[in-house]
Amino acid sequence: MGSGRCAACRYLRRKCTDDCILSPYFPSNNPQRFVSVHRIYGASNVSKLLQRLPTHLRAEAADSLYYEAQCRLEDRVYGCVGLIFLLQQQIHAAESQLIKTQAEIAVMKSQVQHP
Amino acid sequence: MRSHEPRSASSCAACKLLKRRCGPNCIFAPYFRSDEPKKFAKVHKVFGASNVSKILVEVPEEQREDTVNSLAYEAEARLQDPVYGCIGAIALLQRRMIELQHDLALARARLARYATTYSAGAGRTETDRFSTGALGEFPVACGEFMDSFSLSSYEVTQDAHMYDFTQIPYV
């Protein structure tokens, strides 16, 4: 009776019970999603984390774990922290550009007002 | 012959927590010193020692310290925000970047209007002199996957302090 198993239980070769905590978030039609999460966090850690959360927050938690796992699989060294660093750099550059533009506005304003 | 050296004297934080002998080739020892027990405890809680070990053996040795530090950052973020972890930090930064893009667009439009006014009054063409660059120079670094997060339970305004961006593990 394997046809009713979620992706997690199918991968772990175990019976998928009615109260399987992973099954709502790791459906059988997307096995890669569980494989990614399992490789980085492990099924046990994911189960424990989801169990600690209220039910209405578990879907977002599972999605964020999948995203972070994907980032880590693509970049073993930095994972999604690499994206944080990149965003910080972009923010710094944009803030510098904004300050520069505002300074230019001030110059132009004074030139327009006092030609 | 068994060593007379007590296990705890030379054990790294990982081996102390895992209650095992810390051998000379322990993969954790260079990065989880015994005086930083919480660092490994957090990483172990989120990722598990076995998974961390697998990740470390996959990266070149010279990159392992950065790997450990980024894992520690992710673990800390996940423990502080069990729902979104680092995604929360990314969402904050992305929002900030979008605000800046908006502010920059407004500033550039304003500058262009001044430049037009100035050049019209002075009889010169000054519009090219100033920074009215394309908005596309700051595409927000973010995977398209981020768009799928509703962040419905995410309180942006009050959680910004949770993410210590100064602790990014590398420069």
Side-chain angles (χ1 to χ4, degrees):
Chain A
M1 289 281 288
S3 59
R5 289 189 292 181
C6 70
C9 292
R10 182 168 293 187
Y11 183 88
L12 297 170
R13 296 180 186 174
R14 66 186 190 193
K15 187 168 180 279
C16 191
T17 58
D18 290 339
D19 59 351
C20 172
I21 193 163
L22 298 175
S23 89
Y25 318 109
F26 299 99
S28 56
N29 62 354
N30 190 355
Q32 195 54 44
R33 178 178 157 98
F34 177 74
V35 170
S36 298
V37 170
H38 180 56
R39 279 184 71 184
I40 300 301
Y41 296 100
S44 173
N45 285 340
V46 174
S47 297
K48 285 181 203 167
L49 188 139
L50 292 178
Q51 265 168 357
R52 283 186 231 123
L53 294 172
T55 311
H56 69 281
L57 294 176
R58 290 177 185 172
E60 291 278 275
D63 283 347
S64 74
L65 286 167
Y66 174 52
Y67 181 78
E68 286 193 35
Q70 284 291 102
C71 287
R72 184 61 66 173
L73 288 168
E74 287 173 20
D75 182 351
R76 292 289 198 282
V77 181
Y78 299 117
C80 69
V81 181
L83 181 55
I84 290 174
F85 183 60
L86 185 59
L87 281 165
Q88 277 190 295
Q89 286 182 315
Q90 287 192 331
I91 284 169
H92 180 72
E95 283 173 341
S96 299
Q97 192 61 46
L98 183 61
I99 288 168
K100 179 169 174 279
T101 306
Q102 287 168 338
E104 288 170 348
I105 288 171
V107 168
M108 283 301 288
K109 198 174 173 184
S110 69
Q111 286 177 341
V112 167
Q113 289 170 347
H114 307 287
Chain B
M1 180 186 282
R2 187 177 283 192
S3 168
H4 293 289
E5 193 174 3
R7 185 175 63 194
S8 60
S10 58
S11 286
C12 69
C15 293
K16 272 190 191 170
L17 185 75
L18 299 171
K19 294 179 183 168
R20 64 185 199 187
R21 186 173 174 276
C22 191
N25 296 322
C26 173
I27 195 161
F28 298 120
Y31 318 108
F32 295 103
R33 299 193 315 267
S34 56
D35 60 346
E36 290 183 308
K38 285 185 182 174
K39 185 177 176 183
F40 181 77
K42 289 175 184 177
V43 170
H44 178 51
K45 188 164 184 182
V46 174
F47 296 100
S50 170
N51 291 331
V52 174
S53 174
K54 285 179 198 168
I55 292 171
L56 288 179
V57 298
E58 285 173 351
V59 305
E61 195 171 337
E62 63 270 18
Q63 290 187 300
R64 286 179 185 168
E65 186 164 6
D66 278 355
T67 304
V68 163
N69 288 336
S70 73
L71 286 168
Y73 184 88
E74 269 195 58
E76 179 71 44
R78 182 59 66 175
L79 290 170
Q80 289 199 23
D81 182 353
V83 181
Y84 294 111
C86 271
I87 303 303
I90 292 170
L92 272 174
L93 292 170
Q94 191 187 11
R95 278 194 175 94
R96 175 66 184 139
M97 191 60 209
I98 290 169
E99 284 168 8
L100 278 168
Q101 284 182 320
H102 175 72
D103 291 345
L104 197 49
L106 289 177
R108 283 174 170 164
R110 196 171 165 209
L111 185 63
R113 285 197 297 276
Y114 272 117
T116 305
T117 306
Y118 181 69
S119 65
R124 287 178 291 161
T125 302
E126 289 286 347
T127 49
D128 291 337
R129 183 178 158 208
F130 297 98
S131 55
T132 54
L135 297 177
E137 74 190 78
F138 292 118
V140 181
C142 182
E144 58 187 21
F145 192 83
M146 284 298 299
D147 294 336
S148 68
F149 285 98
S150 68
L151 291 164
S152 55
S153 66
Y154 194 70
E155 299 286 340
V156 175
T157 53
Q158 66 193 46
D159 287 334
H161 70 279
M162 282 170 49
Y163 299 104
D164 185 0
F165 297 122
T166 63
Q167 291 302 310
I168 295 293
Y170 51 92
V171 176

